[in-house]
C-alpha cells in the first residue's frame, strides 16, 4: 500500500474528476490524501469522503480566473503544500492540472518522489478566455504553455482526460501532447455506474434544460436564451442552472433579465456536491454543454464531465459539433450536437432531445484498469 498525496487548486468540495481517481486508488488499497486549495474558505479543513482524506488549506480568500490575485493565491498554496509534504513525504505525489505541477516537480527533485500528472484541461487556454483578441494574453498563454510542457516532461506518468476515438477524426489531449514528445494514457472522467433513477421516456407538458457545473463564460448562456427565443412560446423550456465560477454573477444577471422576457421559469443555485447533482438533475430533460470553440481546449479535445454524468441518469446532452466532444456524443448516442453560433440548429436540437433518453454503456473500466497497472508498476 502506498501513501499518495494528490494536489488540486480548488476546494474539492468535491471535485468529481479528482475524487474519481482518488477513489480508484483507494479501492486498490492505497492511502490517498487530497491537498486542496479552499480559496473561499467555505468548506471543512479536513474530512473523509469515501475513504479518501481531503485536507483543505485555508490561507486567506483568493479569486478564480486569470487575475494577479489568483496567481498570488496559487503561489501561497504551492509554498504551503511543498512545506507540508517535504516535512512528511508520501510515497507518490499526484498533481491534478498544470497549476499544481510545480509542486510535484520540486518534490521529485528534492526527495525523489514518483510524479503523476493528470491533465484534465489545457491551463494556458484560460488566459485568453474572454479576451481572444488580446496580444498580451496570447503572448502570456504561449509562455505558460511552454513552461507547462517543460514540467510535464518531468512527470513519470502522464494521464489525460481525452484521446481520439478509434477511427475518429478529432484529436484529444493525448494527441495534443504527442508532438511535444510526451506520451500519455487516457482515463476519461466517467461515472462507474448508471444511477437507479433514470429519466423516463414520456411526453411532458413542461420540460427543462439544465446546466450543472462551473460557470466560466457568459456566451453559452446568451446563445441558449437566443435559441429558446427561436422556439414557439408554447414549446419553450424552463432553465435550470447550478454551479459557481468566475462568470456566475454575470450569467445570473443575464438569465434574470431574459427569463421573464421569454416567459420561461428559471431555477438558479450555486455550488453543489455529488449528492446535489443527483437531486438537481431529477427534473432536467436535456443537459446543455456548449462552449465557445475559440477556447483552445474545446478544439483540442475537452470532454464535458456533465455529458457522462447526465447520461448515467438517462439524460441526453447537447454539445458542440466539429470537435471531439461531439464525436463522442454521436458515437455513444449520448445526446445531440449543434454548431456553435447556429441558433436555429441549437433550438432544433434541444427540442429533438426533449423526450429522448440515453444509456451510458462505457464506464471507462478498461482505462481505469490500465491506469492502476501503470501506477503500481511506477511504484
Amino acid at each position: 500500500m502506498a501513501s499518495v498525496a494528490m494536489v488540486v487548486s480548488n476546494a474539492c468540495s468535491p471535485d468529481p474528476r479528482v475524487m474519481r481517481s482518488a477513489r480508484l486508488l483507494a479501492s486498490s488499497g492505497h492511502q490517498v490524501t487530497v491537498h486542496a486549495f479552499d480559496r473561499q474558505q467555505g468548506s471543512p479543513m479536513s474530512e473523509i469522503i469515501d475513504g479518501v482524506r481531503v485536507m483543505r488549506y485555508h490561507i486567506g480568500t483568493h479569486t478564480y480566473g486569470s487575475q494577479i490575485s489568483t496567481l498570488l493565491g496559487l503561489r501561497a498554496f504551492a509554498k504551503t503544500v511543498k512545506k507540508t509534504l517535504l516535512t512528511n513525504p508520501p510515497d507518490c505525489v499526484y498533481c491534478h492540472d498544470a497549476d499544481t505541477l510545480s509542486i510535484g516537480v520540486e518534490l521529485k527533485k528534492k526527495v525523489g518522489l514518483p510524479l503523476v500528472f493528470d491533465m484534465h484541461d489545457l491551463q494556458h487556454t484560460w488566459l485568453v478566455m474572454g479576451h481572444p483578441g488580446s496580444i498580451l494574453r496570447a503572448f502570456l498563454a504561449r509562455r505558460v504553455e511552454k513552461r507547462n510542457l517543460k514540467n510535464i516532461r518531468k512527470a513519470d506518468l502522464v494521464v489525460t482526460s481525452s484521446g481520439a476515438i478509434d477511427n475518429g477524426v478529432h484529436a484529444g489531449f493525448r494527441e495534443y501532447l504527442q508532438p511535444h514528445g510526451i506520451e500519455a494514457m487516457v482515463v476519461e472522467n466517467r461515472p462507474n455506474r448508471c444511477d437507479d433513477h433514470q429519466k423516463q421516456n414520456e411526453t411532458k407538458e413542461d420540460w427543462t434544460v439544465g446546466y450543472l457545473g462551473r460557470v466560466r463564460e457568459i456566451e453559452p448562456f446568451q446563445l441558449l436564451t437566443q435559441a429558446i427565443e427561436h422556439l414557439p412560446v408554447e414549446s419553450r423550456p424552463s432553465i435550470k442552472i447550478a454551479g459557481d465560477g468566475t462568470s456566475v454573477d454575470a450569467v445570473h444577471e443575464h438569465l434574470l433579465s431574459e427569463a421573464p422576457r421569454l416567459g420561461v421559469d428559471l431555477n438558479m443555485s450555486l455550488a453543489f456536491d455529488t449528492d446535489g447533482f443527483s437531486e438537481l438533475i431529477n427534473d432536467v430533460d436535456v443537459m446543455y454543454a456548449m462552449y465557445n470553440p475559440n477556447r483552445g481546449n474545446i478544439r483540442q479535445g475537452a470532454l464535458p464531465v456533465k455529458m457522462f454524468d447526465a447520461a448515467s441518469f438517462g439524460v441526453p446532452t447537447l454539445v458542440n459539433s466539429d470537435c471531439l466532444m461531439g464525436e463522442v456524443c454521436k458515437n455513444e448516442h449520448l445526446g445531440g450536437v449543434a454548431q456553435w453560433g447556429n441558433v436555429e440548429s441549437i433550438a432544433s436540437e434541444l427540442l429533438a432531445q426533449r423526450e429522448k433518453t440515453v444509456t451510458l454503456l462505457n464506464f471507462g473500466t478498461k482505462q481505469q484498469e490500465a491506469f492502476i497497472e501503470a501506477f503500481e508498476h511506477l511504484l
Side-chain angles (χ1 to χ4, degrees):
M1 179 181 75
S3 60
V4 182
M6 287 192 169
V7 189
V8 63
S9 66
N10 61 45
C12 194
S13 57
D15 182 332
R17 310 166 311 159
V18 175
M19 289 307 300
R20 279 177 186 141
S21 56
R23 288 190 195 97
L24 184 60
L25 290 175
S27 67
S28 297
H30 302 292
Q31 183 180 5
V32 183
T33 300
V34 177
H35 298 259
F37 184 14
D38 188 358
R39 306 186 196 201
Q40 301 302 310
Q41 302 189 152
S43 300
M45 293 186 69
S46 180
E47 66 177 324
I48 304 296
I49 303 175
D50 296 337
V52 174
R53 184 188 176 200
V54 180
M55 182 172 150
R56 299 187 179 93
Y57 290 69
H58 289 186
I59 51 175
T61 57
H62 298 275
T63 60
Y64 285 93
S66 54
Q67 305 173 43
I68 296 297
S69 58
T70 306
L71 179 61
L72 294 175
L74 287 170
R75 285 182 175 177
F77 171 65
K79 182 179 179 180
T80 308
V81 175
K82 288 174 189 175
K83 183 178 179 180
T84 300
L85 297 182
L86 285 171
T87 301
N88 185 20
D91 296 316
C92 175
V93 60
Y94 189 126
C95 295
H96 289 271
D97 290 323
D99 54 4
T100 67
L101 189 50
S102 65
I103 298 170
V105 168
E106 185 165 338
L107 287 163
K108 179 180 178 179
K109 180 179 179 181
K110 288 188 174 180
V111 293
L113 293 183
L115 171 59
V116 179
F117 174 56
D118 202 331
M119 192 175 83
H120 304 284
D121 218 327
L122 299 182
Q123 184 208 14
H124 65 276
T125 66
W126 298 105
L127 286 168
V128 295
M129 183 184 294
H131 307 273
S134 171
I135 296 174
L136 174 60
R137 284 178 175 264
F139 169 74
L140 292 173
R142 286 194 295 271
R143 289 195 61 176
V144 170
E145 180 182 27
K146 184 177 180 180
R147 180 202 65 195
N148 288 347
L149 289 168
K150 180 180 178 181
N151 281 338
I152 293 170
R153 292 188 184 97
K154 297 175 183 178
D156 299 293
L157 176 62
V158 179
V159 182
T160 71
S161 58
S162 72
I165 64 175
D166 292 342
N167 302 313
V169 175
H170 298 287
F173 293 157
R174 176 183 57 194
E175 289 71 35
Y176 160 78
L177 291 172
Q178 284 174 344
H180 301 286
I182 300 169
E183 291 300 320
M185 64 188 311
V186 176
V187 182
E188 294 166 344
N189 291 306
R190 294 173 179 261
N192 59 12
R193 64 179 182 86
C194 282
D195 195 84
D196 293 335
H197 178 82
Q198 293 287 299
K199 176 187 174 184
Q200 299 302 307
N201 191 354
E202 59 186 10
T203 302
K204 297 192 298 183
E205 183 177 345
D206 300 318
W207 63 297
T208 300
V209 172
Y211 179 96
L212 311 180
R214 281 291 173 88
V215 183
R216 296 188 174 103
E217 305 168 277
I218 192 171
E219 290 88 351
F221 301 95
Q222 293 170 330
L223 199 56
L224 174 61
T225 53
Q226 291 169 25
I228 290 174
E229 185 172 14
H230 197 79
L231 293 172
V233 174
E234 65 275 10
S235 298
R236 292 176 182 174
S238 299
I239 301 172
K240 172 180 275 193
I241 174 173
D244 57 6
T246 53
S247 294
V248 68
D249 290 338
V251 169
H252 282 191
E253 183 179 349
H254 171 72
L255 294 177
L256 284 168
S257 171
E258 289 294 287
R261 188 180 67 82
L262 296 172
V264 302
D265 291 333
L266 176 62
N267 182 324
M268 298 190 301
S269 55
L270 295 173
F272 55 88
D273 57 19
T274 304
D275 292 334
F277 184 92
S278 302
E279 296 172 5
L280 288 164
I281 202 169
N282 271 338
D283 61 348
V284 172
D285 297 285
V286 183
M287 183 71 81
Y288 179 74
M290 296 198 70
Y291 307 91
N292 190 333
N294 290 327
R295 269 172 56 189
N297 62 333
I298 301 302
R299 288 200 183 99
Q300 289 168 319
L303 293 176
V305 179
K306 61 177 66 65
M307 175 176 71
F308 298 125
D309 285 342
S312 71
F313 288 83
V315 176
T317 301
L318 177 61
V319 301
N320 296 53
S321 61
D322 305 317
C323 60
L324 182 62
M325 68 171 74
E327 192 169 34
V328 171
C329 184
K330 291 175 66 176
N331 186 61
E332 299 188 30
H333 308 289
L334 301 181
V337 302
Q339 185 178 38
W340 174 262
N342 189 329
V343 173
E344 185 176 349
S345 174
I346 294 170
S348 174
E349 199 58 42
L350 284 172
L351 205 56
Q353 298 299 321
R354 172 180 177 177
E355 296 172 7
K356 290 186 178 180
T357 58
V358 299
T359 302
L360 183 65
L361 299 175
N362 181 359
F363 302 106
T365 305
K366 291 183 178 179
Q367 292 178 349
Q368 293 167 9
E369 290 172 349
F371 164 70
I372 289 296
E373 182 178 350
F375 179 82
E376 295 184 343
H377 177 76
L378 172 66
L379 296 180

